[in-house]
Amino acid sequence: MHKDIVARLLLLTLLSAPVAVTAQDIAAPAPAESQPEVDASGAEEEEEFFVFDESETSDSASAAIADPLEGMNRAIFSFNDKAYRGVLKPIARGLRVIPEPVRVGGRNFFTNLGAPVSSVSALLQGDVRNFGTEFGRFVLNTTAGLGGFLDVATDVGLVQDEEDIGQTLGRYGVGHGFYLVLPLIGSSSLRETVGMIGTGVLNPVYDNLNADEIAAARITEAELALSLDRDTYESLYDSSLDPYTFFRSAWTQNRAGRVAQ
């Protein structure tokens, strides 16, 4: 029994991260306007809250988070890069044979599944307004949006502002602890990993699914998101003198911005 609980928590840790974090944060670093295909659903997609000043190198932005496991983290970063380029992205490119509106609908469906946890996270932060927005988005998209495949909530002005437990911990002053690179997920920290566990445990969607079904759902979600991406990760990686430092800095600034917003 205890082994099952531990295994579920570990699985939720690996599979409850936002898809933008999967495969080295390939979605989050890019401003919304640089991803035109994702916006082709007819509704203007909300801008990702992303802050990154490329002039801030390891002497500033990266120094905001301790990295005592850098050797191990770099090895996992390299593994993730090979997995992304060799497996994840080729599969995603193959999915592009599916009409884009169908893939956008699938992405919307999975995004909608995370709205209950987002609303709870907002409430835990005392953000009643965003709690109402996220909860309202879930109700409206689940009903009028045909189970979440259509993002009708954005059309009526309920713009998504995702929250998670990691942000909640940060809002209450919990520090990162130290930087971590997780296999197949990418940038994280001790605080964010604990937050991912909490986010996964709070998600009621997967309560009646076994581990294999949860894994299949999360992999499908990740591949749909990657199929809508236009090589953002590759362009950032290939243009960086030290990709590891670049993504560490970008992720650190991104999370700080999300906690502060």
Side-chain angles (χ1 to χ4, degrees):
M1 179 66 176
H2 293 296
K3 290 183 178 179
D4 291 340
I5 295 175
V6 171
R8 183 175 177 81
L9 288 176
L10 289 174
L11 181 69
L12 288 169
T13 299
L14 292 175
L15 298 177
S16 64
V19 174
V21 176
T22 304
Q24 312 280 42
D25 295 325
I26 58 95
E33 60 267 21
S34 68
Q35 301 179 46
E37 184 179 3
V38 178
D39 298 337
S41 60
E44 182 178 353
E45 181 175 308
E46 69 277 6
E47 182 178 356
E48 285 281 0
F49 190 93
F50 180 78
V51 179
F52 181 65
D53 182 356
E54 194 168 3
S55 65
E56 295 190 21
T57 58
S58 59
D59 293 333
S60 53
S62 293
I65 187 169
D67 192 2
L69 304 177
E70 182 172 344
M72 181 190 73
N73 285 336
R74 282 184 178 272
I76 298 174
F77 182 86
S78 178
F79 166 80
N80 286 351
D81 178 65
K82 291 179 175 61
Y84 169 78
R85 295 177 187 267
V87 180
L88 298 176
K89 196 56 181 283
I91 293 175
R93 290 193 181 105
L95 289 177
R96 289 176 181 167
V97 301
I98 300 173
E100 184 181 330
V102 176
R103 287 181 284 131
V104 171
R107 181 204 59 187
N108 291 342
F109 171 78
F110 284 109
T111 298
N112 188 57
L113 293 182
V117 175
S118 181
S119 64
V120 171
S121 299
L123 187 61
L124 290 174
Q125 296 176 46
D127 190 346
V128 177
R129 179 177 180 180
N130 196 30
F131 163 76
T133 298
E134 290 295 285
F135 184 75
R137 283 181 56 84
F138 178 72
V139 172
L140 187 58
N141 284 342
T142 300
T143 53
L146 304 179
F149 285 94
L150 301 177
D151 185 8
V152 296
T154 297
D155 294 337
V156 299
L158 295 177
V159 180
Q160 183 184 28
D161 183 10
E162 273 189 295
E163 304 286 345
D164 56 56
I165 300 301
Q167 288 173 248
T168 303
L169 294 173
R171 182 63 63 89
Y172 285 103
V174 178
H176 278 295
F178 52 84
Y179 184 67
L180 286 171
V181 180
L182 301 179
L184 301 180
I185 290 178
S187 296
S188 186
S189 67
L190 184 59
R191 181 191 77 195
E192 297 299 327
T193 301
V194 171
M196 278 189 267
I197 294 176
T199 299
V201 170
L202 284 176
N203 196 328
V205 174
Y206 300 115
D207 284 347
N208 297 318
L209 302 180
N210 60 39
D212 291 339
E213 292 168 335
I214 294 174
R218 296 303 288 181
I219 291 171
T220 301
E221 178 182 3
E223 292 294 351
L224 283 172
L226 288 176
S227 76
L228 292 164
D229 174 73
R230 285 301 188 187
D231 299 334
T232 305
Y233 165 72
E234 291 91 331
S235 64
L236 292 172
Y237 187 103
D238 296 340
S239 63
S240 302
L241 293 177
D242 183 356
Y244 174 82
T245 300
F246 176 90
F247 280 99
R248 182 179 62 189
S249 298
W251 179 84
T252 303
Q253 292 184 58
N254 180 282
R255 293 305 293 176
R258 288 186 177 276
V259 169
Q261 68 179 334

